[in-house]
Amino acid sequence: MPDESPERKPASSWTQERQRSAQESLVRSSDDDFELASRGLIAPGSPRQVIGRYGQPVWDLDAYEFLDDADAARNPPNTVSPSLWRQGRLNNIAGLFEVTPGIFQIRGMDISNVTFIAGDTGWIVVDPLTSEETARAALAMVNEHRGERPVHAVIYTHSHTDHFGGVYGIVTDDDVRGGTVAVIAPEGFLDAAISENVLAGTVMIRRAMYMYGVLLPKDPTGHVDTGLGKGMPGLPSVGLCPPTLSITTTGEEVVIDGVRLVFQITPGTEAPAEMNIYLPDHRALCVAENCTATQHNVYTLRGAQVRDALLWSKYIDEAIDLYGAEIDTLFASHHWPRWGNEVINEYLASQRDAYRFVHDQTLRLANHGLTMNEIAETLELPASLGEEFFNRGYYGTVSHNAKAVYQRYLGWFDGNPAHLHPHPPVAAATRYVEFMGGAASVLEQAQRYYDLGDYRWVVEVVNHVVFADPDNVAARYLQADALEQLGYQSESGPWRDFYLTGAMELRSNGTVLKGLPGNALGSGIVRSMTPELLLDLLGVRLNGPRAGHFAIEVNLEVLDRATESWTFGVANATLHSRRARRVPRPDVELRVSMGHFAAFASGSKSLAELVGEEFQVEGDRDRLEEFISYLDQFQFGFEIIMP
Ligand SMILES: [Zn+2]
């Protein structure tokens, strides 16, 4: 009989059986990751709670204490994949570590690592974490244990928030403007950092809440680990200090505070702008996020442009070729370092081959006519790669990375015209349920498959019942139960968090985020944005069908960017814009500061609130008001698991 209750359930007998065989497959002749993750410990993570601006814990080591239970080390709870449990325990080893003399890392105090390189008189900081709060705590910790030193440089290895967002916990704008701190990043960093999260910002952040399980309780039936690190900081203060030095070529050498840094740029790998850093005097290589103790994402499930697995593999090979003979230490901005020339070269080669294998084999099978889902179902790493823990699917998986490669080359369409123009979810669901003999009949049969442990099939068919009738409580609860077992079985942190968040929202009859404004651009990010990006954002917010025959032409002058003027307008229910142009008879002339224009473009302030010294309007103000009335406001609270 269906168990119609909204409570979280224990692991089914099928799930328990799966965990048992997964546990057996984990036994290796050698597993030194726990030794590597603990090596060089100077001090355990402190403070236990890093408190944020609302009094909330931005980081909370106590929340994950359940992973460190000595008994749980031997007997993982059967609601967690034993492999993910192992990864979660490794990511829970938090503290200040010596990587090699002169290089220190704080790990386990944010989703990412921050690295401190000791110069003659100060610190060079590589990747200042996600939040100002955790970055400030990290700097205090390294100063406490290794002596107080000023920060001379900050290096961003790449354009993802968890590698720059905490910068203002470490430096101030005055330090950077005054030239006492250099900020170094790969070419294209700023554009990549701010564009990725803006135009598709609301939907991407909403999906990220699923991917990182931010709404789930942290416990053995909830969020355990992201695979890449413990979790996302809670309501962090995020900023972006623009780089003062862009690295454009591989081999470029910079000396800071007596430390030689040689860069290898690797654009288009894990991020659009990324670079590795070779430290010849330390015989050490920082591989940014190009190599970590997991198979990474060729496609990230929160949604982003798909990455190039072939290029990624080739840049790892270039790193081996350039530096392989001259390194004894390898570290990255997630997970633990590796030591020893042979070990490092084997590790790099193995990761190189894992990305290349997924790329090549996906296309080989596609050229045989297999489609995306068929390839994902078929593909498996060869034992020589797949048995390495660091190639396993804790974050990315072979399954969704194979689909990513297919998508990159062939797109969403599998070539079967039956899939060219299907009914959208609700219309299809209604028809499916009718054809399958009605909701009661579907649920009865789905329950049979649930009892047989075929949760993948249950979620596929019951999804139709939920989309045909979201008020069908029995359907929602059965769907939640099946998603939950899939979550328990997942080795990948993001898969687990997606499944469990879906189950949670089905049980609570939808998202708790209803009404929460989306696309809130933090002021720390906004000041680095370009007018062009904000104009593009206005275009995305314009409600085409409502704008109808509306037309407007605006001349825009950006006060704090002396040379920047723009013209933009609306025609054909579409926004257009041009740089360095003015129309002769505009409807409106705007003279604005970037901050105020960002507030206008993101819709965080009304025209009445904006108008003043930093937002001067001349001309037809009514028409400007009408334009604003056609701009949509986004909200995070849209449903994903229900119609
Ligand atoms: Zn990262």
Side-chain angles (χ1 to χ4, degrees), residues 158 162-163 228 289 334:
H158 64 289
D162 55 324
H163 303 271
L228 190 66
E289 199 162 329
H334 292 276

Side-chain angles (χ1 to χ4, degrees), residues 79-231:
T79 50
V80 185
S81 146
S83 184
L84 179 61
W85 185 258
R86 173 187 173 279
Q87 185 83 344
R89 286 171 48 76
L90 284 162
N91 283 336
N92 218 30
I93 300 174
L96 168 66
F97 301 83
E98 184 182 67
V99 175
T100 195
I103 302 180
F104 306 91
Q105 279 191 323
I106 305 257
R107 300 199 293 268
M109 297 297 288
D110 197 304
I111 192 171
S112 48
N113 301 335
V114 53
T115 305
F116 294 92
I117 302 168
D120 291 340
T121 58
W123 295 120
I124 298 162
V125 183
V126 181
D127 288 355
L129 303 175
T130 313
S131 85
E132 284 176 33
E133 293 88 348
T134 51
R136 192 173 295 118
L139 180 62
M141 199 174 168
V142 74
N143 277 336
E144 181 192 336
H145 293 279
R146 278 297 168 267
E148 184 102 16
R149 288 157 166 268
V151 172
H152 286 322
V154 173
I155 303 176
Y156 306 132
T157 61
H158 64 289
S159 51
H160 291 150
T161 319
D162 55 324
H163 303 271
F164 65 77
V167 64
Y168 289 118
I170 293 214
V171 300
T172 65
D173 275 333
D174 286 344
D175 297 335
V176 177
R177 264 194 300 264
T180 52
V181 178
V183 180
I184 305 170
E187 186 179 32
F189 167 87
L190 201 57
D191 279 350
I194 49 196
S195 66
E196 190 170 67
N197 304 313
V198 175
L199 297 187
T202 301
V203 59
M204 211 183 273
I205 292 171
R206 169 75 172 119
R207 288 170 52 146
M209 290 174 183
Y210 266 65
M211 175 169 172
Y212 296 107
V214 292
L215 302 170
L216 294 171
K218 297 175 176 65
D219 61 31
T221 48
H223 176 76
V224 167
D225 197 80
T226 69
L228 190 66
K230 291 292 359 126

Side-chain angles (χ1 to χ4, degrees), residues 339-614:
W339 292 273
N341 186 267
E342 199 179 329
V343 168
I344 291 170
N345 276 283
E346 280 172 14
Y347 165 73
L348 290 172
S350 187
Q351 290 235 318
R352 171 196 69 193
D353 294 346
Y355 294 112
R356 183 73 192 243
F357 180 89
V358 172
H359 174 272
D360 289 357
Q361 297 305 310
T362 298
L363 291 181
R364 182 181 67 81
L365 293 170
N367 280 315
H368 281 305
L370 272 74
T371 55
M372 193 163 69
N373 288 340
E374 289 167 330
I375 295 167
E377 195 71 17
T378 312
L379 207 59
E380 239 182 82
L381 290 179
S384 58
L385 296 174
E387 283 180 1
E388 298 290 0
F389 284 115
F390 54 71
N391 284 332
R392 293 184 75 127
Y394 297 115
Y395 194 48
T397 66
V398 171
S399 170
H400 74 255
N401 283 345
K403 291 180 183 176
V405 173
Y406 189 96
Q407 183 206 318
R408 183 171 185 91
Y409 286 88
L410 296 159
W412 59 268
F413 180 45
D414 64 4
N416 177 348
H419 300 149
L420 187 54
H421 194 212
H423 284 293
V426 171
T430 313
R431 288 164 173 79
Y432 270 116
V433 172
E434 187 202 333
F435 269 51
M436 293 191 291
S441 160
V442 180
L443 291 187
E444 195 186 306
Q445 296 181 75
Q447 183 66 45
R448 202 154 49 79
Y449 274 77
Y450 182 92
D451 295 339
L452 291 169
D454 190 350
Y455 307 119
R456 285 173 72 186
W457 183 244
V458 174
V459 302
E460 179 161 345
V461 292
V462 177
N463 186 55
H464 290 310
V465 187
V466 172
F467 271 71
D469 177 16
D471 292 329
N472 187 327
V473 175
R476 285 209 325 263
Y477 289 178
L478 179 58
Q479 184 75 335
D481 289 354
L483 289 170
E484 185 171 64
Q485 296 299 322
L486 289 172
Y488 293 165
Q489 294 177 10
S490 297
E491 183 180 58
S492 159
W495 281 40
R496 177 185 174 92
D497 286 338
F498 258 93
Y499 283 131
L500 296 184
T501 304
M504 184 183 72
E505 294 195 343
L506 282 165
R507 286 167 176 160
S508 61
N509 193 15
T511 174
V512 296
L513 301 169
K514 271 193 191 71
L516 206 70
N519 214 2
L521 302 172
S523 58
I525 303 279
V526 158
R527 63 175 134 182
S528 304
M529 288 174 64
T530 58
E532 179 168 26
L533 191 55
L534 293 172
L535 287 165
D536 291 347
L537 177 61
L538 278 173
V540 172
R541 290 183 57 216
L542 181 71
N543 186 319
R546 282 191 52 236
H549 296 292
F550 175 76
I552 188 170
E553 291 301 326
V554 182
N555 281 337
L556 171 71
E557 201 184 312
V558 184
L559 293 167
D560 38 6
R561 296 190 181 216
T563 55
E564 278 213 43
S565 63
W566 286 78
T567 174
F568 70 92
V570 174
N572 302 314
T574 307
L575 189 129
H576 55 260
S577 62
R578 270 190 195 159
R579 189 185 176 136
R581 293 283 187 281
R582 298 176 63 76
V583 290
R585 250 175 256 91
D587 301 296
V588 177
E589 296 259 8
L590 287 180
R591 268 180 293 280
V592 301
S593 71
M594 268 307 289
H596 276 55
F597 190 55
F600 174 74
S602 65
S604 63
K605 284 190 178 152
S606 70
L607 191 56
E609 287 172 301
L610 285 168
V611 169
E613 199 56 13
E614 293 188 58

